[in-house]
Amino acid sequence: MESRPLRYFVAVAQELNFARAAERLGIASPPLSRAIRKLEAELGVTLFERTTHSVALTPAGEVLLTEARIALDALDAAGRRARRAADPEPKLVLAVKADADAGLLDPILAGYAADPASRPVSLRLCGWGEHTRLLREGHADAALLYEPFDHTGLDAETVTTERRVAALSAAHPLARRDSLSLADVTSGPPGEVDQFVDEVAARHRVRDLPQLLKLVELGDLVTLLPESVPARYPRPGIAYRPVPDAPPAVLAVAWPQQSRSTATAALVRAATSLRGA
Amino acid sequence: MESRPLRYFVAVAQELNFARAAERLGIASPPLSRAIRKLEAELGVTLFERTTHSVALTPAGEVLLTEARIALDALDAAGRRARRAADPEPKLVLAVKADADAGLLDPILAGYAADPASRPVSLRLCGWGEHTRLLREGHADAALLYEPFDHTGLDAETVTTERRVAALSAAHPLARRDSLSLADVTSGPPGEVDQFVDEVAARHRVRDLPQLLKLVELGDLVTLLPESVPARYPRPGIAYRPVPDAPPAVLAVAWPQQSRSTATAALVRAATSLRGA
DNA sequence: AGATTTTACGGGCGTCGTAACGATT
DNA sequence: AATCGTTACGACGCCCGTAAAATCT
């Protein structure tokens, strides 16, 4: 199994259209069509159900898509990590989303710097759910992120857990109460709080916390945040109210499972050693 | 990054000899030499320190070797899993080493068969430490195996924990005692028991339990075994003695981390539901 | 009729193999 | 002298691109 046909396959599977996929790959349609047929022949499996005006994945194709993404990520990561291993002054790259650190980034870095195995740290700021991709593709050595996330190929340790607060407009009727319950906020089935939080952000096309808070201030939405946020983002127009029955927010440090780096291990030590504090 | 040069690289890194690696790959030396140079150029990194009569990996090469193995395994696994996904009557392949099941294989299979999500099971018997390779390369859907093992790319749950017993010749002086301590048996630093067990087997080139017991009977060695063994392998010439201070043997069920198969999930349920019993 | 995938054909680039060279033990 | 990695060179094959055909909406 070669990697190039697999890249072609992923492109087609994403576009579900040979012409567009070919364009994205920078080749013409015919070679692409043949490459896919050859791949199907090699595997002895039909990957796409094609009619002239529609392309759909077969069950085998679905499986290959998820597996192929993993394999191709690993391939990219291999090259990138080898390159970085040749760096005479290797930096430790830590992926963090702005403000998604429970205020612990500085103490973690301070504790890390004191470790003899530590290295200079390069922060890689990233957005929603990018952490895991950066780790899997070899762009980052470690990441600081909130659960839940896809643990595939990663190891992780909990850094801290926080209670949640609801953020709502100061003018909102619920703001008059001192404390809220989960049902007041999510209005959905319980136990899906993490999904709820992600969906709120995704639905409004919000990419960072200040934007989200702006929408809250305008009364457009109510959301749940870790309790470390209010102290760092006081807003006159926003009321933060505890939600005692909401499950806690879990901040974790994650790293590629196969990592054998002592520098990464030291960072994990530094991050987890704050749990007691 | 293409997969073929990476396969070539792994071959050279394993053989540390271009000629032998080329032979193993079924090509001549020159193309291999050029492929490696090209790969080094692409990465901008030196992978081997070559003098005419010695080839050694650079640090970057070491990193690439471990990463490349993972990526190539994932690539193979992708093809194999896609093939198997096209099977209209898919079987669940369970990797087990003979006698390394704490006697739980039958109950697990029985419980599994009762699950509506279950499928016909095909047992894949394997040897020392092969389980993880079978999982990673897509040959097996799940494995039943003792800790410790390399968890990279795998998820696992504990099935059961067992106390350990020492197996020694009935004629051995220690056999007169009712109970032994760890120090009597390992004679090495403590806390390395799992390593000790593996090494005993590796050192004597033993591939299965009956062979190992034969050596024990002859008085050639003393080893630690899970306490489920004596009942299934009574031997007049062998004394089994409890070792209370030995850490327990942990039997686990493992599966590829990215698995979304309900059939695999059902097997895991069946295996872990025996914990209480 | 329009859009899309697939077959047909010709050209180029990559990779391979044989042969010769250089270097080290 | 022998062994091993590398360079040189000629050839084969795979993959690509353009053009045309087939098929479904």
Side-chain angles (χ1 to χ4, degrees):
Chain A
M1 165 88 60
E2 292 301 319
S3 58
R4 188 172 40 189
L6 219 54
R7 284 186 217 280
Y8 289 2
F9 165 77
V10 171
V12 175
Q14 285 178 344
E15 301 284 349
L16 290 180
N17 177 311
F18 279 73
R20 273 200 302 277
E23 187 182 4
R24 211 182 71 184
L25 292 167
I27 65 173
S29 299
L32 178 57
S33 177
R34 265 175 298 149
I36 300 293
R37 289 209 105 80
K38 189 173 172 182
L39 181 61
E40 290 180 320
E42 179 186 338
L43 294 174
V45 160
T46 307
L47 298 171
F48 294 106
E49 294 295 351
R50 324 129 148 100
T51 68
T52 32
H53 268 233
S54 80
V55 175
L57 279 166
T58 62
E62 299 271 9
V63 168
L64 187 61
L65 179 57
T66 64
E67 298 284 338
R69 282 187 171 131
I70 294 171
L72 293 175
D73 279 353
L75 217 54
D76 286 359
R80 211 164 275 120
R81 295 212 178 94
R83 233 187 302 257
R84 295 193 41 211
D87 188 341
E89 273 293 326
K91 290 201 173 64
L92 184 131
V93 177
L94 177 63
V96 289
K97 182 163 99 59
D99 307 311
D101 65 341
L104 292 178
L105 183 56
D106 287 342
I108 288 171
L109 293 180
Y112 176 62
D115 192 300
S118 75
R119 309 215 136 269
V121 172
S122 167
L123 289 183
R124 179 75 147 84
L125 297 173
C126 62
W128 280 103
E130 279 190 344
H131 303 85
T132 56
R133 189 179 54 78
L134 292 174
L135 291 175
R136 275 192 277 264
E137 293 181 359
H139 290 284
D141 299 300
L144 203 59
L145 76 176
Y146 280 102
E147 300 269 11
F149 57 91
D150 178 2
H151 285 238
T152 306
L154 308 177
D155 271 341
E157 290 278 348
T158 297
V159 174
T160 191
T161 62
E162 302 173 74
R163 286 186 294 270
R164 303 233 196 208
V165 296
L168 38 79
S169 164
H172 196 287
L174 286 172
R176 284 182 304 221
R177 290 166 46 183
D178 283 343
S179 172
L180 302 179
S181 85
L182 199 50
D184 297 327
V185 184
T186 65
S187 72
E192 313 268 320
V193 176
D194 292 313
Q195 278 183 34
F196 167 77
V197 173
D198 284 353
E199 275 170 27
V200 165
R203 185 145 27 94
H204 292 78
R205 308 268 191 289
V206 174
R207 300 213 68 80
D208 62 17
L209 194 49
Q211 277 181 29
L212 184 68
L213 292 178
K214 197 69 192 171
L215 292 177
V216 170
E217 205 167 343
L218 296 172
D220 287 345
L221 60 88
V222 175
T223 188
L224 285 172
L225 296 171
E227 68 174 342
S228 59
V229 169
R232 305 208 289 162
Y233 288 88
R235 292 276 201 280
I238 294 186
Y240 295 106
R241 295 290 179 266
V243 183
D245 60 342
V250 176
L251 185 72
V253 57
W255 63 96
Q257 214 171 27
Q258 70 269 28
S259 172
R260 297 286 176 275
S261 153
T262 55
T264 302
L267 181 83
V268 173
R269 274 197 303 276
T272 55
S273 69
L274 269 57
R275 268 189 297 218
Chain B
M1 164 90 61
E2 292 301 318
S3 58
R4 188 172 40 187
L6 218 54
R7 283 186 218 282
Y8 289 2
F9 166 76
V10 171
V12 175
Q14 284 178 343
E15 301 283 349
L16 289 180
N17 177 312
F18 279 74
R20 275 199 301 277
E23 188 181 4
R24 211 182 72 185
L25 292 167
I27 66 172
S29 300
L32 179 58
S33 177
R34 265 174 297 153
I36 299 294
R37 291 208 105 80
K38 188 174 172 181
L39 180 61
E40 290 180 321
E42 179 185 340
L43 294 174
V45 161
T46 307
L47 298 171
F48 295 106
E49 294 293 351
R50 319 122 145 110
T51 67
T52 29
H53 269 239
S54 81
V55 175
L57 280 166
T58 62
E62 299 271 9
V63 169
L64 187 61
L65 179 56
T66 63
E67 298 285 338
R69 282 187 171 130
I70 293 171
L72 294 175
D73 279 352
L75 218 55
D76 286 0
R80 211 163 276 121
R81 296 214 177 94
R83 234 186 303 256
R84 294 193 41 212
D87 187 341
E89 273 291 327
K91 290 199 173 66
L92 183 132
V93 177
L94 176 63
V96 289
K97 182 163 99 58
D99 308 312
D101 65 342
L104 291 178
L105 183 56
D106 287 342
I108 289 171
L109 292 180
Y112 177 61
D115 192 300
S118 75
R119 307 215 138 268
V121 172
S122 166
L123 289 183
R124 180 75 149 79
L125 297 173
C126 62
W128 281 102
E130 280 189 344
H131 302 85
T132 56
R133 189 179 54 77
L134 292 174
L135 291 176
R136 276 193 275 265
E137 293 180 0
H139 290 283
D141 299 299
L144 204 58
L145 75 176
Y146 280 103
E147 299 267 13
F149 58 90
D150 177 3
H151 285 238
T152 305
L154 309 177
D155 272 341
E157 291 277 347
T158 298
V159 174
T160 190
T161 62
E162 304 173 73
R163 286 186 293 269
R164 302 233 197 208
V165 296
L168 37 79
S169 164
H172 196 286
L174 287 172
R176 283 181 306 219
R177 291 165 47 183
D178 284 342
S179 173
L180 303 179
S181 84
L182 200 49
D184 297 327
V185 184
T186 65
S187 73
E192 313 269 320
V193 177
D194 293 314
Q195 278 183 33
F196 168 77
V197 173
D198 283 353
E199 275 169 27
V200 164
R203 186 147 25 95
H204 292 79
R205 307 268 191 290
V206 174
R207 301 214 67 81
D208 62 18
L209 193 50
Q211 277 182 27
L212 185 68
L213 293 177
K214 197 69 192 172
L215 291 179
V216 170
E217 204 166 344
L218 295 172
D220 286 347
L221 60 88
V222 174
T223 189
L224 284 172
L225 297 171
E227 69 174 342
S228 59
V229 169
R232 304 208 289 162
Y233 289 88
R235 293 277 200 279
I238 293 186
Y240 295 105
R241 295 290 179 267
V243 183
D245 61 342
V250 176
L251 185 71
V253 57
W255 63 95
Q257 213 172 26
Q258 70 269 28
S259 172
R260 298 285 176 272
S261 154
T262 56
T264 303
L267 181 82
V268 173
R269 274 197 301 275
T272 54
S273 69
L274 270 58
R275 268 189 297 219

